[in-house]
Amino acid sequence: MRKIELEIVALSHSITQTHSYAVVLGEVNGLRRLPIVIGGFEAQAIAVALEKMQPSRPLTHDLMKNFMNAFNIELHEVVISNLQEGIFYSKLVCSNNDDTIEIDSRTSDALALAVRFGCPIYTYENILNSAGILLDDPGKKTTKAAGTPSISEHEKGTEDDLKALNLEELNTLLQEVLEQEDYIRAIAIRDEINSRKSK
């Protein structure tokens, strides 16, 4: 399977869900986004590395990097390799001398290490197809049809609100939410769209 390179484009905090964050991965040279819900600690670990902050004591992921460096283990790439029941699975591709091995990892931990090592992040086409969100072409203006619901007409939070919308309304709502960079909400809308398509 062909690997598709991703980059971290945003970390988003959810106002509606306590301690819930999304890390948003963007397709390099593409319009697709892959939002992944992560916990607060993991979001902090990624943010610290992205901002190149130096904590007074090493965080867990800094410790892991120091440990790997001490034993000449190199992290070559992170691969988001599977998606099952909404859970992403990842692998760290590492080498030491002549051996290359793949190590299972939580995706949030893998991303925190990828940022620290500056290594590429990849996934596969089938994962982007099932969990990715396609942004409208930024150069193209989108027009809103009369009678199309806006976010204000539908409360932004509950599952019941989404179930009341038809597929076209859900797609319109998804684009509006993406423009506001509310990736947590976008995940819920994407999941509702996917569940209808699979029926």
Side-chain angles (χ1 to χ4, degrees):
M1 268 187 288
R2 185 176 73 88
K3 291 188 294 190
I4 297 164
E5 189 171 357
L6 304 171
E7 59 188 347
I8 296 174
V9 295
L11 269 175
S12 172
H13 180 257
S14 172
I15 298 166
T16 56
Q17 299 178 36
T18 312
H19 307 302
S20 198
Y21 293 78
V23 59
V24 183
L25 302 170
E27 180 181 19
V28 173
N29 301 320
L31 294 174
R32 290 180 290 184
R33 298 289 182 262
L34 185 65
I36 301 173
V37 175
I38 60 174
F41 173 76
E42 292 83 358
Q44 179 188 13
I46 293 168
V48 162
L50 284 173
E51 297 298 322
K52 299 186 177 1
M53 291 187 266
Q54 296 294 325
S56 57
R57 304 289 295 146
L59 298 175
T60 304
H61 299 93
D62 298 318
L63 173 64
M64 187 70 185
K65 182 185 179 199
N66 294 341
F67 181 86
M68 291 169 75
N69 286 339
F71 289 93
N72 296 318
I73 299 168
E74 197 173 325
L75 178 60
H76 294 284
E77 62 187 45
V78 163
V79 180
I80 301 169
S81 55
N82 202 354
L83 173 63
Q84 293 180 9
E85 297 177 12
I87 298 170
F88 292 91
Y89 294 84
S90 293
K91 293 184 183 301
L92 307 173
V93 180
C94 304
S95 70
N96 180 357
N97 299 327
D98 297 330
D99 294 332
T100 298
I101 59 168
E102 293 183 354
I103 302 169
D104 286 332
S105 173
R106 293 190 316 164
T107 299
S108 54
D109 292 330
L111 294 175
L113 285 171
V115 174
R116 283 163 173 78
F117 278 92
C119 73
I121 302 162
Y122 296 101
T123 193
Y124 298 113
E125 188 71 39
N126 63 318
I127 293 173
L128 264 181
N129 284 341
S130 62
I133 296 168
L134 180 63
L135 293 180
D136 278 344
D137 187 338
K140 185 180 83 175
K141 294 205 174 210
T142 55
T143 55
K144 193 173 162 187
T148 308
S150 68
I151 294 174
S152 59
E153 292 169 38
H154 295 281
E155 290 195 343
K156 287 174 59 177
T158 69
E159 247 179 75
D160 292 340
D161 293 333
L162 297 180
K163 293 199 183 305
L165 301 176
N166 66 36
L167 207 51
E168 185 181 335
E169 292 168 335
L170 283 170
N171 281 308
T172 302
L173 183 60
L174 178 60
Q175 287 307 316
E176 290 184 27
V177 167
L178 286 171
E179 285 170 17
Q180 295 185 1
E181 297 185 356
D182 184 352
Y183 295 105
I184 298 285
R185 180 67 176 142
I187 291 169
I189 298 167
R190 174 204 67 197
D191 290 347
E192 178 65 24
I193 291 169
N194 287 343
S195 73
R196 293 191 194 184
K197 285 180 178 174
S198 65
K199 285 179 183 174

